[in-house]
Amino acid sequence: MMALIQKDLMVIQKQMKVMLGLFCLMLIVSYSFQNVAFFSTFIVFIMMQVMTAFTYDDMSNWGRFANTMPVKMHQHILSKYVLALILTGIGLVFSLPLLFIGGDSILNDKKAASFILLGILTLCLILFSIVLPVFIKLGPNMGRIILVAIFLLPTFVYPLVDDYFNWTIPSMKTIETFIYFAPIGGLLIMVISYLLSVQIYVKKEF
């Protein structure tokens, strides 16, 4: 399975150079505006590189060749999820130094910055959990459409339901507890997504 992950990393290595430039840009923006939120979105950008791996697989009909290899089907799927976690981890590692650069000149509240990073991490896990099964079932083109729909849906839905719900802001303690445990929930959702993806892949015709 490590060879499968290495293959995907080699495919996206050129894109990773672009990500390095993006890293520098987001660092400058965050420093200029004294806001870690700009920089933490780098995690989302870097994790999107797994879509590049799917696109290359689709263009080269990798699935047909992969099924002739002495590798079990679930390992092909697991390699994509591991790649997603690796890329998310890279984004997180690159984001963490901002918490210690410039001290209070950038961040007045490092706890708030940590909450932002945990929130972005959880968002990455949930997005992958939703999009990866779609990629495996329908291909990367439909996966991109679903991803755009996920981002746009709240924009259209919230105004429609806002008048019917009496929204109340939870206490700070409740919010902190939720944010601390949110990544664990994201991982559990990702496990369920992986099991679903395996079932889809096994039944898929190449």
Side-chain angles (χ1 to χ4, degrees):
M1 189 184 72
M2 293 302 300
L4 296 174
I5 298 173
Q6 184 179 10
K7 182 267 296 181
D8 288 334
L9 290 175
M10 291 176 65
V11 165
I12 66 175
Q13 61 181 350
K14 291 183 179 180
Q15 297 293 329
M16 294 300 288
K17 295 179 181 179
V18 177
M19 289 298 102
L20 180 59
L22 181 62
F23 164 79
C24 296
L25 176 63
M26 298 305 289
L27 177 61
I28 294 172
V29 171
S30 294
Y31 187 89
S32 300
F33 289 90
Q34 299 185 6
N35 192 330
V36 71
F38 289 99
F39 185 75
S40 61
T41 56
F42 175 73
I43 299 176
V44 178
F45 286 112
I46 197 172
M47 63 168 279
M48 290 299 105
Q49 294 310 304
V50 76
M51 295 184 183
T52 302
F54 267 104
T55 300
Y56 275 89
D57 286 354
D58 186 66
M59 292 174 59
S60 61
N61 292 318
W62 168 257
R64 295 182 181 179
F65 173 74
N67 288 331
T68 66
M69 300 171 60
V71 180
K72 296 180 179 179
M73 284 188 171
H74 75 271
Q75 291 179 314
H76 292 292
I77 302 303
L78 182 59
S79 68
K80 298 299 184 186
Y81 280 82
V82 173
L83 175 67
L85 291 175
I86 290 174
L87 293 176
T88 303
I90 291 174
L92 184 61
V93 168
F94 273 100
S95 299
L96 286 177
L98 186 64
L99 299 176
F100 308 99
I101 295 176
D104 292 337
S105 63
I106 294 181
L107 299 172
N108 294 320
D109 190 347
K110 289 183 172 60
K111 178 183 285 189
S114 300
F115 285 171
I116 291 174
L117 293 178
L118 288 174
I120 295 295
L121 173 60
T122 304
L123 175 63
C124 290
L125 295 176
I126 294 176
L127 283 177
F128 268 126
S129 300
I130 297 173
V131 173
L132 283 178
V134 176
F135 268 50
I136 295 168
K137 176 68 175 180
L138 302 176
N141 292 330
M142 183 59 67
R144 291 189 183 93
I145 295 175
I146 296 297
L147 183 61
V148 172
I150 291 173
F151 279 107
L152 294 180
L153 188 61
T155 304
F156 293 100
V157 172
Y158 180 76
L160 297 176
V161 302
D162 185 43
D163 296 334
Y164 297 96
F165 293 92
N166 184 19
W167 303 105
T168 58
I169 300 176
S171 65
M172 182 57 63
K173 184 177 181 180
T174 301
I175 295 175
E176 289 183 5
T177 302
F178 174 79
I179 292 177
Y180 281 133
F181 286 97
I184 299 177
L187 285 173
L188 291 176
I189 294 174
M190 203 169 193
V191 170
I192 296 172
S193 173
Y194 162 73
L195 296 175
L196 175 62
S197 296
V198 170
Q199 294 301 315
I200 294 173
Y201 190 78
V202 168
K203 298 177 181 179
K204 187 174 181 179
E205 297 182 0
F206 296 94

